[in-house]
Amino acid sequence: MIGLVDRVRGGLYGLAAGDALGATVEFMGRDEIRRKYGVLRDIVGGGWLNLRPGEWTDDTEMALAVAEGILADPEEPVPHIGEAFLRWRATDPPDIGGTVRAAFQAYDRLGNWHRAAEAVHARTGMTAGNGALMRTLPLAFAYPGPVELYVRCMEVARMTHWDPEAGLTCFLYCRAAQHVVLGAGLVDALDRAVEEMLEVAPAGKMSRAAAALAGKLEGVMAWPEDRLRPTGYTVDTLACALWCAANAESFEEAVVRAVNLGGDADTVGAVTGGLAGVMHGYGAIPARWVDKFNRAQRERLDAAAEGLARLAEKIFV
Ligand SMILES: [Mg+2]
C-alpha cells in the first residue's frame, strides 16, 4: 500500500528525475542514443545544455513554479504562478521553450496571461506543444476532479498554451494520476479520465477537440512501440508517457524506456516520471538518481511535496 504522501513526493521527484535523466539525450535519435550509451540508465548530465549531473531543466522549474503558485493561494493560483514564471525567467535560463518565450513577451506587453497566450495562438496557430503538460502535475494534488480539476488545468495551461489540446492533455494526465491515487490501474484510470473529459468539456469547440483527442489516444497503451513519437507535440508526449508508464514493471524501467526514445527526451522523461512516481511512490525511485540532486534541489522538491500533500489530504478523502 503506497501512502498519499509517498505518491505526491514520488510524482515530484519522479518528474525531476525524468527531466534530469532525459536532458542528456534531448534532440538525439533512438539509434544515436544506442550507439553512444547503449541504454541510458544513469543521470550523467551533459546534453545540449551541458548540465552537471542532477541539474534539471525548464520542465521541473515550471512544475515547481506551478506548485509554488498553488501553495501561495490555492483559490487564485494564476497570478502567483505567473510571478513564479517571471522569477524563473529573471535567472536567464537557456532553455525557455518557444511558446513559453512568446507568451512571456506577450505578457510583458499585455499584463494578462490569458490574453497573452491567446494573442500568441492567434498569431502562430501553434500552441499545442508539451510545455503546459510538463508542468501540470501539481494540479492533480490540489484540485478535486473532474470538474474543478478541468477548470484549473485549462486556466493554468492557457497561461501560455492556448490550443485546446494543451489543456485537455493536462486534464487527462492529472485526472488519470488522481484515479491511480484512488486505486485504479493505469488503463482504467485513463479510460475514466477520457470519459470524464468528454462529459466536462463545454459544448462546441472544446467538446469537438476532446472527442478528437480521445480518438488520437485510442488504445494507446497497447500500441506497438514504434508508433510512439517523442516530439514536442503535447498529444505525442502524453502518448509516450502513458505507454511507458503502462508497459513497465517499475518506476525505473518506465523512465528509462521514455528517455531512450530520444527526441524531446527531458520532457517525455519528466511527464513519464511524474506519472510513474505517482504509481510506484517515492520509495521506488532509484536512490542513485535522487542522490544526484543537491541539498537546495531536494529542499525545493520537499517543500512543494509537503505543501501539496496537505492539499491532497483534503481532496483524496
Ligand atoms: Mg526541458
Side-chain angles (χ1 to χ4, degrees), residues 13-313:
Y13 271 86
L15 186 158
D19 180 5
L21 182 71
T24 299
V25 291
E26 186 181 9
F27 301 131
M28 289 172 69
R30 285 179 220 200
D31 295 339
E32 200 182 349
I33 295 170
R34 205 170 300 135
R35 279 196 301 275
K36 189 160 178 192
Y37 295 100
V39 177
L40 180 70
R41 293 186 171 278
D42 288 299
I43 294 177
V44 295
W48 73 277
L49 290 164
N50 196 23
L51 303 168
R52 69 161 175 80
E55 201 172 345
W56 59 49
T57 76
D58 56 340
D59 309 74
T60 307
E61 285 294 333
M62 295 196 84
L64 284 169
V66 170
E68 288 157 7
I70 292 168
L71 295 174
D73 184 0
E75 299 299 317
E76 204 183 338
V78 166
H80 299 281
I81 294 169
E83 283 166 23
F85 285 172
L86 296 177
R87 280 198 300 276
W88 170 64
R89 179 178 68 169
T91 67
D92 198 21
D95 58 331
I96 302 180
T99 303
V100 169
R101 187 178 296 276
F104 282 178
Q105 285 164 355
Y107 177 83
D108 289 339
R109 223 171 42 246
L110 299 166
N112 176 294
W113 287 105
H114 291 151
R115 283 175 52 208
E118 190 172 15
V120 171
H121 186 74
R123 191 174 75 238
T124 68
M126 291 181 37
T127 61
N130 55 19
L133 180 63
M134 72 190 191
R135 68 177 187 237
T136 200
L137 184 64
L139 298 168
F141 306 130
Y143 302 106
V147 175
E148 184 174 4
L149 181 69
Y150 177 87
V151 171
R152 298 299 188 178
C153 284
M154 295 310 299
E155 75 174 7
V156 173
R158 287 191 143 181
M159 294 175 69
T160 52
H161 291 66
W162 195 258
D163 191 290
E165 283 189 329
L168 291 171
T169 49
C170 289
F171 172 78
L172 286 182
Y173 178 73
C174 286
R175 188 60 180 148
Q178 290 187 337
H179 283 302
V180 166
V181 172
L182 293 166
L186 188 54
V187 172
D188 280 347
L190 181 69
D191 283 349
R192 289 181 211 175
V194 168
E195 272 172 40
E196 290 168 331
M197 172 182 72
L198 297 171
E199 282 164 21
V200 298
K205 190 177 173 185
M206 291 310 295
S207 70
R208 287 193 300 276
L213 176 58
K216 289 179 190 180
L217 291 169
E218 179 92 58
V220 56
M221 289 175 250
W223 288 358
E225 186 173 357
D226 62 11
R227 197 171 151 188
L228 301 176
R229 298 281 176 267
T231 74
Y233 171 43
T234 192
V235 180
D236 284 346
T237 303
L238 180 60
C240 289
L242 290 165
W243 191 94
C244 291
N247 291 282
E249 296 295 322
S250 67
F251 173 87
E252 177 175 345
E253 191 192 342
V255 175
V256 165
R257 291 192 100 157
V259 303
N260 282 279
L261 296 170
D264 200 353
D266 58 328
T267 301
V268 174
V271 176
T272 305
L275 181 58
V278 172
M279 291 168 67
H280 300 283
Y282 175 78
I285 301 176
R288 71 179 198 282
W289 291 358
V290 174
D291 288 347
K292 289 290 191 301
F293 298 138
N294 64 31
R295 188 168 165 182
Q297 288 178 298
R298 285 200 291 263
E299 281 173 358
R300 283 186 75 194
L301 291 170
D302 287 341
E306 279 162 31
L308 290 171
R310 275 196 296 278
L311 295 177
E313 275 160 12

